[in-house]
PDB file of all heavy atoms in Angstrom:
ATOM      1  N   GLY Q1148      11.665   3.530  -8.999  1.00  0.00           N
ATOM      2  CA  GLY Q1148      10.885   2.906  -7.954  1.00  0.00           C
ATOM      3  C   GLY Q1148      10.621   3.816  -6.774  1.00  0.00           C
ATOM      4  O   GLY Q1148      10.417   3.332  -5.653  1.00  0.00           O
ATOM      5  N   SER Q1149      10.636   5.111  -7.020  1.00  0.00           N
ATOM      6  CA  SER Q1149      10.344   6.046  -5.944  1.00  0.00           C
ATOM      7  C   SER Q1149       8.903   5.884  -5.489  1.00  0.00           C
ATOM      8  O   SER Q1149       8.011   5.567  -6.283  1.00  0.00           O
ATOM      9  CB  SER Q1149      10.615   7.482  -6.391  1.00  0.00           C
ATOM     10  OG  SER Q1149       9.792   7.830  -7.492  1.00  0.00           O
ATOM     11  N   LYS Q1150       8.679   6.121  -4.208  1.00  0.00           N
ATOM     12  CA  LYS Q1150       7.387   5.848  -3.593  1.00  0.00           C
ATOM     13  C   LYS Q1150       6.789   7.097  -2.971  1.00  0.00           C
ATOM     14  O   LYS Q1150       7.503   7.949  -2.454  1.00  0.00           O
ATOM     15  CB  LYS Q1150       7.538   4.763  -2.522  1.00  0.00           C
ATOM     16  CG  LYS Q1150       8.114   3.461  -3.042  1.00  0.00           C
ATOM     17  CD  LYS Q1150       8.415   2.500  -1.905  1.00  0.00           C
ATOM     18  CE  LYS Q1150       9.051   1.226  -2.418  1.00  0.00           C
ATOM     19  NZ  LYS Q1150       9.351   0.278  -1.311  1.00  0.00           N
ATOM     20  N   ASP Q1151       5.480   7.152  -3.012  1.00  0.00           N
ATOM     21  CA  ASP Q1151       4.741   8.221  -2.362  1.00  0.00           C
ATOM     22  C   ASP Q1151       3.538   7.630  -1.658  1.00  0.00           C
ATOM     23  O   ASP Q1151       2.947   6.657  -2.127  1.00  0.00           O
ATOM     24  CB  ASP Q1151       4.285   9.278  -3.368  1.00  0.00           C
ATOM     25  CG  ASP Q1151       5.422  10.118  -3.892  1.00  0.00           C
ATOM     26  OD1 ASP Q1151       5.984  10.910  -3.113  1.00  0.00           O
ATOM     27  OD2 ASP Q1151       5.758   9.991  -5.084  1.00  0.00           O
ATOM     28  N   TYR Q1152       3.165   8.243  -0.535  1.00  0.00           N
ATOM     29  CA  TYR Q1152       2.065   7.743   0.271  1.00  0.00           C
ATOM     30  C   TYR Q1152       1.148   8.877   0.697  1.00  0.00           C
ATOM     31  O   TYR Q1152       1.596  10.013   0.894  1.00  0.00           O
ATOM     32  CB  TYR Q1152       2.580   7.055   1.533  1.00  0.00           C
ATOM     33  CG  TYR Q1152       3.468   5.874   1.274  1.00  0.00           C
ATOM     34  CD1 TYR Q1152       4.849   6.016   1.227  1.00  0.00           C
ATOM     35  CD2 TYR Q1152       2.925   4.609   1.080  1.00  0.00           C
ATOM     36  CE1 TYR Q1152       5.670   4.927   0.984  1.00  0.00           C
ATOM     37  CE2 TYR Q1152       3.740   3.516   0.840  1.00  0.00           C
ATOM     38  CZ  TYR Q1152       5.108   3.677   0.793  1.00  0.00           C
ATOM     39  OH  TYR Q1152       5.915   2.597   0.556  1.00  0.00           O
ATOM     40  N   ALA Q1153      -0.109   8.548   0.849  1.00  0.00           N
ATOM     41  CA  ALA Q1153      -1.016   9.473   1.493  1.00  0.00           C
ATOM     42  C   ALA Q1153      -0.594   9.663   2.943  1.00  0.00           C
ATOM     43  O   ALA Q1153      -0.096   8.736   3.588  1.00  0.00           O
ATOM     44  CB  ALA Q1153      -2.447   8.953   1.425  1.00  0.00           C
ATOM     45  N   ASP Q1154      -0.794  10.866   3.454  1.00  0.00           N
ATOM     46  CA  ASP Q1154      -0.406  11.147   4.834  1.00  0.00           C
ATOM     47  C   ASP Q1154      -1.073  10.190   5.823  1.00  0.00           C
ATOM     48  O   ASP Q1154      -0.486   9.840   6.849  1.00  0.00           O
ATOM     49  CB  ASP Q1154      -0.755  12.585   5.201  1.00  0.00           C
ATOM     50  CG  ASP Q1154       0.145  13.600   4.530  1.00  0.00           C
ATOM     51  OD1 ASP Q1154       1.241  13.217   4.066  1.00  0.00           O
ATOM     52  OD2 ASP Q1154      -0.236  14.781   4.476  1.00  0.00           O
ATOM     53  N   SER Q1155      -2.280   9.769   5.513  1.00  0.00           N
ATOM     54  CA  SER Q1155      -3.030   8.925   6.422  1.00  0.00           C
ATOM     55  C   SER Q1155      -2.452   7.523   6.578  1.00  0.00           C
ATOM     56  O   SER Q1155      -2.770   6.834   7.548  1.00  0.00           O
ATOM     57  CB  SER Q1155      -4.489   8.822   5.959  1.00  0.00           C
ATOM     58  OG  SER Q1155      -4.566   8.274   4.658  1.00  0.00           O
ATOM     59  N   VAL Q1156      -1.606   7.091   5.640  1.00  0.00           N
ATOM     60  CA  VAL Q1156      -1.057   5.736   5.696  1.00  0.00           C
ATOM     61  C   VAL Q1156       0.455   5.715   5.804  1.00  0.00           C
ATOM     62  O   VAL Q1156       1.038   4.635   5.986  1.00  0.00           O
ATOM     63  CB  VAL Q1156      -1.495   4.891   4.486  1.00  0.00           C
ATOM     64  CG1 VAL Q1156      -3.004   4.921   4.327  1.00  0.00           C
ATOM     65  CG2 VAL Q1156      -0.807   5.360   3.205  1.00  0.00           C
ATOM     66  N   LYS Q1157       1.089   6.859   5.700  1.00  0.00           N
ATOM     67  CA  LYS Q1157       2.551   6.923   5.775  1.00  0.00           C
ATOM     68  C   LYS Q1157       3.028   6.324   7.098  1.00  0.00           C
ATOM     69  O   LYS Q1157       2.451   6.573   8.146  1.00  0.00           O
ATOM     70  CB  LYS Q1157       3.011   8.368   5.623  1.00  0.00           C
ATOM     71  CG  LYS Q1157       4.509   8.528   5.429  1.00  0.00           C
ATOM     72  CD  LYS Q1157       4.855   9.942   4.975  1.00  0.00           C
ATOM     73  CE  LYS Q1157       4.306  10.229   3.598  1.00  0.00           C
ATOM     74  NZ  LYS Q1157       4.721  11.572   3.093  1.00  0.00           N
ATOM     75  N   ASP Q1158       4.079   5.542   7.024  1.00  0.00           N
ATOM     76  CA  ASP Q1158       4.692   4.844   8.153  1.00  0.00           C
ATOM     77  C   ASP Q1158       3.914   3.607   8.584  1.00  0.00           C
ATOM     78  O   ASP Q1158       4.338   2.911   9.516  1.00  0.00           O
ATOM     79  CB  ASP Q1158       4.906   5.761   9.357  1.00  0.00           C
ATOM     80  CG  ASP Q1158       5.828   6.922   9.054  1.00  0.00           C
ATOM     81  OD1 ASP Q1158       6.779   6.744   8.276  1.00  0.00           O
ATOM     82  OD2 ASP Q1158       5.591   8.018   9.603  1.00  0.00           O
ATOM     83  N   ARG Q1159       2.797   3.328   7.915  1.00  0.00           N
ATOM     84  CA  ARG Q1159       2.046   2.111   8.197  1.00  0.00           C
ATOM     85  C   ARG Q1159       1.975   1.184   6.987  1.00  0.00           C
ATOM     86  O   ARG Q1159       1.976  -0.037   7.145  1.00  0.00           O
ATOM     87  CB  ARG Q1159       0.627   2.438   8.653  1.00  0.00           C
ATOM     88  CG  ARG Q1159       0.572   3.222   9.953  1.00  0.00           C
ATOM     89  CD  ARG Q1159      -0.861   3.309  10.479  1.00  0.00           C
ATOM     90  NE  ARG Q1159      -1.745   4.006   9.552  1.00  0.00           N
ATOM     91  CZ  ARG Q1159      -2.822   3.466   8.980  1.00  0.00           C
ATOM     92  NH1 ARG Q1159      -3.160   2.199   9.242  1.00  0.00           N
ATOM     93  NH2 ARG Q1159      -3.585   4.186   8.162  1.00  0.00           N
ATOM     94  N   PHE Q1160       1.875   1.766   5.789  1.00  0.00           N
ATOM     95  CA  PHE Q1160       1.753   0.991   4.558  1.00  0.00           C
ATOM     96  C   PHE Q1160       3.045   1.073   3.759  1.00  0.00           C
ATOM     97  O   PHE Q1160       3.756   2.084   3.791  1.00  0.00           O
ATOM     98  CB  PHE Q1160       0.617   1.527   3.681  1.00  0.00           C
ATOM     99  CG  PHE Q1160      -0.774   1.326   4.215  1.00  0.00           C
ATOM    100  CD1 PHE Q1160      -1.006   0.865   5.504  1.00  0.00           C
ATOM    101  CD2 PHE Q1160      -1.863   1.607   3.404  1.00  0.00           C
ATOM    102  CE1 PHE Q1160      -2.291   0.684   5.990  1.00  0.00           C
ATOM    103  CE2 PHE Q1160      -3.155   1.432   3.869  1.00  0.00           C
ATOM    104  CZ  PHE Q1160      -3.371   0.973   5.159  1.00  0.00           C
ATOM    105  N   THR Q1161       3.326   0.013   3.000  1.00  0.00           N
ATOM    106  CA  THR Q1161       4.484  -0.014   2.120  1.00  0.00           C
ATOM    107  C   THR Q1161       4.080  -0.573   0.766  1.00  0.00           C
ATOM    108  O   THR Q1161       3.541  -1.680   0.686  1.00  0.00           O
ATOM    109  CB  THR Q1161       5.625  -0.866   2.701  1.00  0.00           C
ATOM    110  OG1 THR Q1161       6.003  -0.364   3.982  1.00  0.00           O
ATOM    111  CG2 THR Q1161       6.838  -0.822   1.776  1.00  0.00           C
ATOM    112  N   ILE Q1162       4.347   0.184  -0.287  1.00  0.00           N
ATOM    113  CA  ILE Q1162       4.105  -0.301  -1.637  1.00  0.00           C
ATOM    114  C   ILE Q1162       5.415  -0.844  -2.203  1.00  0.00           C
ATOM    115  O   ILE Q1162       6.489  -0.305  -1.943  1.00  0.00           O
ATOM    116  CB  ILE Q1162       3.524   0.809  -2.541  1.00  0.00           C
ATOM    117  CG1 ILE Q1162       3.089   0.241  -3.897  1.00  0.00           C
ATOM    118  CG2 ILE Q1162       4.497   1.955  -2.708  1.00  0.00           C
ATOM    119  CD1 ILE Q1162       2.306   1.232  -4.752  1.00  0.00           C
ATOM    120  N   SER Q1163       5.328  -1.921  -2.962  1.00  0.00           N
ATOM    121  CA  SER Q1163       6.498  -2.488  -3.610  1.00  0.00           C
ATOM    122  C   SER Q1163       6.080  -3.139  -4.915  1.00  0.00           C
ATOM    123  O   SER Q1163       4.888  -3.397  -5.142  1.00  0.00           O
ATOM    124  CB  SER Q1163       7.208  -3.497  -2.700  1.00  0.00           C
ATOM    125  OG  SER Q1163       6.353  -4.579  -2.378  1.00  0.00           O
ATOM    126  N   ARG Q1164       7.056  -3.394  -5.775  1.00  0.00           N
ATOM    127  CA  ARG Q1164       6.752  -4.039  -7.042  1.00  0.00           C
ATOM    128  C   ARG Q1164       7.803  -5.081  -7.359  1.00  0.00           C
ATOM    129  O   ARG Q1164       8.972  -4.959  -6.969  1.00  0.00           O
ATOM    130  CB  ARG Q1164       6.659  -3.011  -8.182  1.00  0.00           C
ATOM    131  CG  ARG Q1164       7.969  -2.298  -8.507  1.00  0.00           C
ATOM    132  CD  ARG Q1164       7.744  -1.147  -9.487  1.00  0.00           C
ATOM    133  NE  ARG Q1164       7.276  -1.618 -10.783  1.00  0.00           N
ATOM    134  CZ  ARG Q1164       6.673  -0.848 -11.688  1.00  0.00           C
ATOM    135  NH1 ARG Q1164       6.462   0.434 -11.424  1.00  0.00           N
ATOM    136  NH2 ARG Q1164       6.282  -1.368 -12.846  1.00  0.00           N
ATOM    137  N   ASP Q1165       7.385  -6.109  -8.065  1.00  0.00           N
ATOM    138  CA  ASP Q1165       8.273  -7.148  -8.543  1.00  0.00           C
ATOM    139  C   ASP Q1165       8.021  -7.276 -10.035  1.00  0.00           C
ATOM    140  O   ASP Q1165       7.057  -7.911 -10.465  1.00  0.00           O
ATOM    141  CB  ASP Q1165       8.018  -8.468  -7.822  1.00  0.00           C
ATOM    142  CG  ASP Q1165       9.031  -9.535  -8.167  1.00  0.00           C
ATOM    143  OD1 ASP Q1165       9.660  -9.455  -9.233  1.00  0.00           O
ATOM    144  OD2 ASP Q1165       9.205 -10.470  -7.356  1.00  0.00           O
ATOM    145  N   ASN Q1166       8.882  -6.644 -10.826  1.00  0.00           N
ATOM    146  CA  ASN Q1166       8.672  -6.639 -12.270  1.00  0.00           C
ATOM    147  C   ASN Q1166       8.800  -8.030 -12.883  1.00  0.00           C
ATOM    148  O   ASN Q1166       8.170  -8.319 -13.901  1.00  0.00           O
ATOM    149  CB  ASN Q1166       9.653  -5.679 -12.941  1.00  0.00           C
ATOM    150  CG  ASN Q1166       9.320  -4.224 -12.674  1.00  0.00           C
ATOM    151  OD1 ASN Q1166       8.197  -3.890 -12.319  1.00  0.00           O
ATOM    152  ND2 ASN Q1166      10.304  -3.358 -12.842  1.00  0.00           N
ATOM    153  N   ALA Q1167       9.608  -8.885 -12.280  1.00  0.00           N
ATOM    154  CA  ALA Q1167       9.758 -10.245 -12.783  1.00  0.00           C
ATOM    155  C   ALA Q1167       8.472 -11.044 -12.635  1.00  0.00           C
ATOM    156  O   ALA Q1167       8.215 -11.975 -13.399  1.00  0.00           O
ATOM    157  CB  ALA Q1167      10.908 -10.953 -12.081  1.00  0.00           C
ATOM    158  N   LYS Q1168       7.667 -10.693 -11.642  1.00  0.00           N
ATOM    159  CA  LYS Q1168       6.408 -11.379 -11.395  1.00  0.00           C
ATOM    160  C   LYS Q1168       5.195 -10.582 -11.861  1.00  0.00           C
ATOM    161  O   LYS Q1168       4.065 -11.032 -11.687  1.00  0.00           O
ATOM    162  CB  LYS Q1168       6.259 -11.690  -9.911  1.00  0.00           C
ATOM    163  CG  LYS Q1168       7.298 -12.654  -9.372  1.00  0.00           C
ATOM    164  CD  LYS Q1168       7.073 -12.936  -7.900  1.00  0.00           C
ATOM    165  CE  LYS Q1168       8.082 -13.925  -7.368  1.00  0.00           C
ATOM    166  NZ  LYS Q1168       7.882 -14.200  -5.922  1.00  0.00           N
ATOM    167  N   ASN Q1169       5.435  -9.414 -12.430  1.00  0.00           N
ATOM    168  CA  ASN Q1169       4.340  -8.536 -12.863  1.00  0.00           C
ATOM    169  C   ASN Q1169       3.332  -8.320 -11.742  1.00  0.00           C
ATOM    170  O   ASN Q1169       2.112  -8.404 -11.942  1.00  0.00           O
ATOM    171  CB  ASN Q1169       3.640  -9.112 -14.094  1.00  0.00           C
ATOM    172  CG  ASN Q1169       4.429  -8.929 -15.373  1.00  0.00           C
ATOM    173  OD1 ASN Q1169       5.542  -8.410 -15.370  1.00  0.00           O
ATOM    174  ND2 ASN Q1169       3.862  -9.363 -16.485  1.00  0.00           N
ATOM    175  N   THR Q1170       3.844  -8.025 -10.572  1.00  0.00           N
ATOM    176  CA  THR Q1170       2.996  -7.914  -9.389  1.00  0.00           C
ATOM    177  C   THR Q1170       3.378  -6.688  -8.567  1.00  0.00           C
ATOM    178  O   THR Q1170       4.563  -6.387  -8.396  1.00  0.00           O
ATOM    179  CB  THR Q1170       3.100  -9.171  -8.523  1.00  0.00           C
ATOM    180  OG1 THR Q1170       2.713 -10.317  -9.302  1.00  0.00           O
ATOM    181  CG2 THR Q1170       2.185  -9.075  -7.317  1.00  0.00           C
ATOM    182  N   VAL Q1171       2.373  -6.001  -8.071  1.00  0.00           N
ATOM    183  CA  VAL Q1171       2.562  -4.909  -7.136  1.00  0.00           C
ATOM    184  C   VAL Q1171       1.894  -5.295  -5.822  1.00  0.00           C
ATOM    185  O   VAL Q1171       0.835  -5.939  -5.811  1.00  0.00           O
ATOM    186  CB  VAL Q1171       2.011  -3.575  -7.687  1.00  0.00           C
ATOM    187  CG1 VAL Q1171       0.527  -3.674  -8.013  1.00  0.00           C
ATOM    188  CG2 VAL Q1171       2.282  -2.431  -6.723  1.00  0.00           C
ATOM    189  N   TYR Q1172       2.505  -4.898  -4.706  1.00  0.00           N
ATOM    190  CA  TYR Q1172       2.042  -5.265  -3.391  1.00  0.00           C
ATOM    191  C   TYR Q1172       1.748  -4.026  -2.560  1.00  0.00           C
ATOM    192  O   TYR Q1172       2.316  -2.956  -2.775  1.00  0.00           O
ATOM    193  CB  TYR Q1172       3.093  -6.082  -2.646  1.00  0.00           C
ATOM    194  CG  TYR Q1172       3.556  -7.319  -3.379  1.00  0.00           C
ATOM    195  CD1 TYR Q1172       4.698  -7.283  -4.174  1.00  0.00           C
ATOM    196  CD2 TYR Q1172       2.864  -8.517  -3.270  1.00  0.00           C
ATOM    197  CE1 TYR Q1172       5.134  -8.412  -4.846  1.00  0.00           C
ATOM    198  CE2 TYR Q1172       3.297  -9.650  -3.937  1.00  0.00           C
ATOM    199  CZ  TYR Q1172       4.434  -9.595  -4.723  1.00  0.00           C
ATOM    200  OH  TYR Q1172       4.862 -10.717  -5.381  1.00  0.00           O
ATOM    201  N   LEU Q1173       0.884  -4.197  -1.597  1.00  0.00           N
ATOM    202  CA  LEU Q1173       0.673  -3.191  -0.577  1.00  0.00           C
ATOM    203  C   LEU Q1173       0.658  -3.877   0.780  1.00  0.00           C
ATOM    204  O   LEU Q1173      -0.294  -4.595   1.108  1.00  0.00           O
ATOM    205  CB  LEU Q1173      -0.638  -2.429  -0.794  1.00  0.00           C
ATOM    206  CG  LEU Q1173      -0.886  -1.269   0.164  1.00  0.00           C
ATOM    207  CD1 LEU Q1173       0.112  -0.136  -0.087  1.00  0.00           C
ATOM    208  CD2 LEU Q1173      -2.315  -0.747   0.039  1.00  0.00           C
ATOM    209  N   GLN Q1174       1.723  -3.689   1.536  1.00  0.00           N
ATOM    210  CA  GLN Q1174       1.795  -4.209   2.894  1.00  0.00           C
ATOM    211  C   GLN Q1174       1.155  -3.205   3.823  1.00  0.00           C
ATOM    212  O   GLN Q1174       1.571  -2.045   3.875  1.00  0.00           O
ATOM    213  CB  GLN Q1174       3.248  -4.459   3.301  1.00  0.00           C
ATOM    214  CG  GLN Q1174       3.418  -4.967   4.725  1.00  0.00           C
ATOM    215  CD  GLN Q1174       2.848  -6.343   4.922  1.00  0.00           C
ATOM    216  OE1 GLN Q1174       3.092  -7.240   4.122  1.00  0.00           O
ATOM    217  NE2 GLN Q1174       2.084  -6.531   5.990  1.00  0.00           N
ATOM    218  N   MET Q1175       0.159  -3.634   4.560  1.00  0.00           N
ATOM    219  CA  MET Q1175      -0.596  -2.757   5.439  1.00  0.00           C
ATOM    220  C   MET Q1175      -0.429  -3.232   6.872  1.00  0.00           C
ATOM    221  O   MET Q1175      -0.840  -4.343   7.217  1.00  0.00           O
ATOM    222  CB  MET Q1175      -2.072  -2.731   5.051  1.00  0.00           C
ATOM    223  CG  MET Q1175      -2.320  -2.358   3.596  1.00  0.00           C
ATOM    224  SD  MET Q1175      -4.083  -2.183   3.212  1.00  0.00           S
ATOM    225  CE  MET Q1175      -4.617  -3.882   3.442  1.00  0.00           C
ATOM    226  N   ASN Q1176       0.164  -2.400   7.697  1.00  0.00           N
ATOM    227  CA  ASN Q1176       0.374  -2.701   9.106  1.00  0.00           C
ATOM    228  C   ASN Q1176      -0.376  -1.707   9.977  1.00  0.00           C
ATOM    229  O   ASN Q1176      -0.771  -0.633   9.527  1.00  0.00           O
ATOM    230  CB  ASN Q1176       1.867  -2.660   9.446  1.00  0.00           C
ATOM    231  CG  ASN Q1176       2.678  -3.670   8.682  1.00  0.00           C
ATOM    232  OD1 ASN Q1176       2.221  -4.777   8.403  1.00  0.00           O
ATOM    233  ND2 ASN Q1176       3.915  -3.305   8.352  1.00  0.00           N
ATOM    234  N   SER Q1177      -0.542  -2.067  11.228  1.00  0.00           N
ATOM    235  CA  SER Q1177      -1.214  -1.194  12.201  1.00  0.00           C
ATOM    236  C   SER Q1177      -2.532  -0.674  11.658  1.00  0.00           C
ATOM    237  O   SER Q1177      -2.830   0.520  11.723  1.00  0.00           O
ATOM    238  CB  SER Q1177      -0.286  -0.034  12.591  1.00  0.00           C
ATOM    239  OG  SER Q1177       0.923  -0.505  13.138  1.00  0.00           O
ATOM    240  N   LEU Q1178      -3.332  -1.570  11.145  1.00  0.00           N
ATOM    241  CA  LEU Q1178      -4.567  -1.178  10.480  1.00  0.00           C
ATOM    242  C   LEU Q1178      -5.554  -0.546  11.447  1.00  0.00           C
ATOM    243  O   LEU Q1178      -5.659  -0.948  12.607  1.00  0.00           O
ATOM    244  CB  LEU Q1178      -5.193  -2.377   9.784  1.00  0.00           C
ATOM    245  CG  LEU Q1178      -4.511  -2.756   8.470  1.00  0.00           C
ATOM    246  CD1 LEU Q1178      -4.849  -4.185   8.082  1.00  0.00           C
ATOM    247  CD2 LEU Q1178      -4.928  -1.786   7.369  1.00  0.00           C
ATOM    248  N   LYS Q1179      -6.266   0.430  10.937  1.00  0.00           N
ATOM    249  CA  LYS Q1179      -7.277   1.159  11.682  1.00  0.00           C
ATOM    250  C   LYS Q1179      -8.637   0.946  11.043  1.00  0.00           C
ATOM    251  O   LYS Q1179      -8.732   0.615   9.865  1.00  0.00           O
ATOM    252  CB  LYS Q1179      -6.949   2.660  11.693  1.00  0.00           C
ATOM    253  CG  LYS Q1179      -5.572   3.007  12.215  1.00  0.00           C
ATOM    254  CD  LYS Q1179      -5.294   4.494  12.057  1.00  0.00           C
ATOM    255  CE  LYS Q1179      -3.915   4.858  12.566  1.00  0.00           C
ATOM    256  NZ  LYS Q1179      -3.638   6.306  12.399  1.00  0.00           N
ATOM    257  N   THR Q1180      -9.687   1.171  11.810  1.00  0.00           N
ATOM    258  CA  THR Q1180     -11.033   1.004  11.267  1.00  0.00           C
ATOM    259  C   THR Q1180     -11.264   1.909  10.062  1.00  0.00           C
ATOM    260  O   THR Q1180     -11.988   1.533   9.133  1.00  0.00           O
ATOM    261  CB  THR Q1180     -12.099   1.271  12.326  1.00  0.00           C
ATOM    262  OG1 THR Q1180     -11.922   2.580  12.876  1.00  0.00           O
ATOM    263  CG2 THR Q1180     -12.010   0.248  13.445  1.00  0.00           C
ATOM    264  N   GLU Q1181     -10.651   3.076  10.060  1.00  0.00           N
ATOM    265  CA  GLU Q1181     -10.825   3.993   8.944  1.00  0.00           C
ATOM    266  C   GLU Q1181     -10.112   3.551   7.670  1.00  0.00           C
ATOM    267  O   GLU Q1181     -10.258   4.184   6.620  1.00  0.00           O
ATOM    268  CB  GLU Q1181     -10.387   5.417   9.322  1.00  0.00           C
ATOM    269  CG  GLU Q1181      -8.999   5.501   9.919  1.00  0.00           C
ATOM    270  CD  GLU Q1181      -9.025   5.563  11.433  1.00  0.00           C
ATOM    271  OE1 GLU Q1181      -9.760   4.777  12.057  1.00  0.00           O
ATOM    272  OE2 GLU Q1181      -8.300   6.411  11.999  1.00  0.00           O
ATOM    273  N   ASP Q1182      -9.334   2.475   7.744  1.00  0.00           N
ATOM    274  CA  ASP Q1182      -8.738   1.900   6.546  1.00  0.00           C
ATOM    275  C   ASP Q1182      -9.711   1.004   5.785  1.00  0.00           C
ATOM    276  O   ASP Q1182      -9.390   0.536   4.692  1.00  0.00           O
ATOM    277  CB  ASP Q1182      -7.490   1.090   6.898  1.00  0.00           C
ATOM    278  CG  ASP Q1182      -6.372   1.944   7.461  1.00  0.00           C
ATOM    279  OD1 ASP Q1182      -6.139   3.048   6.935  1.00  0.00           O
ATOM    280  OD2 ASP Q1182      -5.726   1.497   8.433  1.00  0.00           O
ATOM    281  N   THR Q1183     -10.867   0.748   6.363  1.00  0.00           N
ATOM    282  CA  THR Q1183     -11.859  -0.089   5.710  1.00  0.00           C
ATOM    283  C   THR Q1183     -12.291   0.527   4.385  1.00  0.00           C
ATOM    284  O   THR Q1183     -12.726   1.678   4.336  1.00  0.00           O
ATOM    285  CB  THR Q1183     -13.077  -0.284   6.617  1.00  0.00           C
ATOM    286  OG1 THR Q1183     -12.691  -0.996   7.791  1.00  0.00           O
ATOM    287  CG2 THR Q1183     -14.176  -1.065   5.903  1.00  0.00           C
ATOM    288  N   ALA Q1184     -12.165  -0.234   3.314  1.00  0.00           N
ATOM    289  CA  ALA Q1184     -12.486   0.256   1.979  1.00  0.00           C
ATOM    290  C   ALA Q1184     -12.278  -0.870   0.979  1.00  0.00           C
ATOM    291  O   ALA Q1184     -11.727  -1.923   1.305  1.00  0.00           O
ATOM    292  CB  ALA Q1184     -11.591   1.446   1.603  1.00  0.00           C
ATOM    293  N   VAL Q1185     -12.723  -0.630  -0.239  1.00  0.00           N
ATOM    294  CA  VAL Q1185     -12.324  -1.465  -1.359  1.00  0.00           C
ATOM    295  C   VAL Q1185     -11.032  -0.892  -1.916  1.00  0.00           C
ATOM    296  O   VAL Q1185     -10.954   0.302  -2.213  1.00  0.00           O
ATOM    297  CB  VAL Q1185     -13.405  -1.517  -2.455  1.00  0.00           C
ATOM    298  CG1 VAL Q1185     -12.930  -2.346  -3.642  1.00  0.00           C
ATOM    299  CG2 VAL Q1185     -14.696  -2.098  -1.897  1.00  0.00           C
ATOM    300  N   TYR Q1186     -10.033  -1.735  -2.050  1.00  0.00           N
ATOM    301  CA  TYR Q1186      -8.727  -1.315  -2.528  1.00  0.00           C
ATOM    302  C   TYR Q1186      -8.537  -1.749  -3.972  1.00  0.00           C
ATOM    303  O   TYR Q1186      -8.785  -2.899  -4.326  1.00  0.00           O
ATOM    304  CB  TYR Q1186      -7.618  -1.911  -1.652  1.00  0.00           C
ATOM    305  CG  TYR Q1186      -7.481  -1.212  -0.329  1.00  0.00           C
ATOM    306  CD1 TYR Q1186      -8.448  -1.359   0.660  1.00  0.00           C
ATOM    307  CD2 TYR Q1186      -6.395  -0.377  -0.065  1.00  0.00           C
ATOM    308  CE1 TYR Q1186      -8.341  -0.696   1.873  1.00  0.00           C
ATOM    309  CE2 TYR Q1186      -6.275   0.284   1.143  1.00  0.00           C
ATOM    310  CZ  TYR Q1186      -7.245   0.123   2.104  1.00  0.00           C
ATOM    311  OH  TYR Q1186      -7.130   0.781   3.311  1.00  0.00           O
ATOM    312  N   TYR Q1187      -8.086  -0.809  -4.796  1.00  0.00           N
ATOM    313  CA  TYR Q1187      -7.905  -1.033  -6.221  1.00  0.00           C
ATOM    314  C   TYR Q1187      -6.449  -0.783  -6.605  1.00  0.00           C
ATOM    315  O   TYR Q1187      -5.845   0.191  -6.152  1.00  0.00           O
ATOM    316  CB  TYR Q1187      -8.764  -0.074  -7.047  1.00  0.00           C
ATOM    317  CG  TYR Q1187     -10.245  -0.170  -6.801  1.00  0.00           C
ATOM    318  CD1 TYR Q1187     -10.851   0.573  -5.794  1.00  0.00           C
ATOM    319  CD2 TYR Q1187     -11.046  -0.988  -7.591  1.00  0.00           C
ATOM    320  CE1 TYR Q1187     -12.214   0.498  -5.575  1.00  0.00           C
ATOM    321  CE2 TYR Q1187     -12.407  -1.065  -7.376  1.00  0.00           C
ATOM    322  CZ  TYR Q1187     -12.986  -0.318  -6.370  1.00  0.00           C
ATOM    323  OH  TYR Q1187     -14.337  -0.389  -6.163  1.00  0.00           O
ATOM    324  N   CYS Q1188      -5.908  -1.631  -7.454  1.00  0.00           N
ATOM    325  CA  CYS Q1188      -4.606  -1.327  -8.025  1.00  0.00           C
ATOM    326  C   CYS Q1188      -4.786  -0.657  -9.378  1.00  0.00           C
ATOM    327  O   CYS Q1188      -5.784  -0.851 -10.071  1.00  0.00           O
ATOM    328  CB  CYS Q1188      -3.711  -2.567  -8.133  1.00  0.00           C
ATOM    329  SG  CYS Q1188      -4.283  -3.848  -9.260  1.00  0.00           S
ATOM    330  N   ASN Q1189      -3.807   0.145  -9.726  1.00  0.00           N
ATOM    331  CA  ASN Q1189      -3.838   0.943 -10.933  1.00  0.00           C
ATOM    332  C   ASN Q1189      -2.460   0.937 -11.576  1.00  0.00           C
ATOM    333  O   ASN Q1189      -1.448   1.022 -10.886  1.00  0.00           O
ATOM    334  CB  ASN Q1189      -4.266   2.376 -10.587  1.00  0.00           C
ATOM    335  CG  ASN Q1189      -4.015   3.368 -11.703  1.00  0.00           C
ATOM    336  OD1 ASN Q1189      -3.017   4.092 -11.688  1.00  0.00           O
ATOM    337  ND2 ASN Q1189      -4.929   3.412 -12.656  1.00  0.00           N
TER     338      ASN Q1189
END
């Protein structure tokens, strides 16, 4: 479950996973206008 982040979101975003729920999350805090985008999971 090691994590890596783009420099632009480090310390603001947190990725996590719940294998029991087959779900991955992205918690996004301190959002900036430059975060505007379509977000895709992979």
Side-chain angles (χ1 to χ4, degrees):
S1149 61
K1150 302 172 183 180
D1151 288 291
Y1152 300 94
D1154 288 342
S1155 60
V1156 307
K1157 191 167 294 184
D1158 299 325
R1159 297 190 298 119
F1160 291 9
T1161 302
I1162 188 171
S1163 61
R1164 65 189 296 161
D1165 187 337
N1166 288 340
K1168 296 181 178 179
N1169 284 3
T1170 302
V1171 58
Y1172 305 95
L1173 185 68
Q1174 178 67 47
M1175 305 185 294
N1176 299 325
S1177 302
L1178 283 161
K1179 305 174 180 179
T1180 56
E1181 52 262 46
D1182 295 318
T1183 296
V1185 177
Y1186 284 71
Y1187 300 88
C1188 65
N1189 166 261

